[in-house]
Amino acid sequence: LIDNKEVVALVGSGSLLDCAVNATTYKRKGVLSVQGLGVDAACFNAPSVAPVNVGPYTLSTAMAYYATNQLKAEKVCGFFIIIGGTQEAYKGAIETWEKITGKKIHLLDMTLPFQGDLTPYVIKARDAGCDAVIQNAVEPGVVQWVKTADAQKITGINWLFLAPGYTQEVAKALADSTQPVYVGTEWEPFTETGSAANKDWIATMTAAGKPLTAFSQGGYLAATVMLDVLSGIDGEVTRESVTEALLKMQPKSYELAGTPYVFGEGERHAPMQATKVMKLDKGTWTVETPDWVVLPSAN
């Protein structure tokens, strides 16, 4: 695609490794990527990529901030699965939370396995006296963690997960659990089908016969951003004119997101700095924060 001169930009990519592998190539080729779902750390640390999602690192900071600011947690602990070069990014996320709040992480464990017995980790959180735990597993790991806490009859700990845990499947699987389970969203909660912010996205997905998922919100928002950028170009639409328009664009607010999106000329891009927190209630996700939880600056 980037060798095709008629390709003016990349829009809506979902990346586990795309940014780490390709971001420098995009820069060399003079093509920019408006990521729909950036996951690997390079997506938020490259001049050629600017995701429309919050991402796991900023979201880790935001959930820790929510734990201390609204749940009034005193002993926040973090348990993280490390894939590839993400350790530094997760460590940085916790350090950012420490700068914002003036607090110190009570326990930070970066040895969480992608698969395997989670009992030792859940017990470790209990024995350390954690009153809130941030954890970055995807769907199966979220379910396993909470079921393990149930099996150990653990009480008094708030369990906070990132956006991959926010699915209907997780809600159904944990319908019988009484554990306090929270997840952070990257956009307006997709389960809120009556939300005005979701109206156009829902209409678009319904017309296309596509399921309503958070992932599709990312694709939709990336496309919307690009349409806005293209419509603002006076003259021929080329790779050069689109690149210039993205670099020179002003921040623009979208109802789906809690902070304005901007690509801009920076060496790194993480424009999305807000989440809405959902809480599990007998198999249903309920909105815990009707207003966006917006991260204050750590500076």
Side-chain angles (χ1 to χ4, degrees), residues 92-114:
I94 296 302
E95 289 171 351
T96 298
W97 164 76
E98 290 178 333
K99 288 177 185 175
I100 290 171
T101 62
K103 298 181 181 295
K104 289 293 180 183
I105 194 76
H106 184 64
L107 169 67
L108 183 59
D109 188 316
M110 294 192 164
T111 67
L112 198 64
F114 205 77

Side-chain angles (χ1 to χ4, degrees), residues 117-136:
D117 184 13
L118 298 180
T119 304
Y121 296 91
V122 173
I123 294 296
K124 186 176 181 179
R126 181 198 68 188
D127 291 351
C130 306
D131 55 6
V133 168
I134 316 293
Q135 208 255 52
N136 69 333

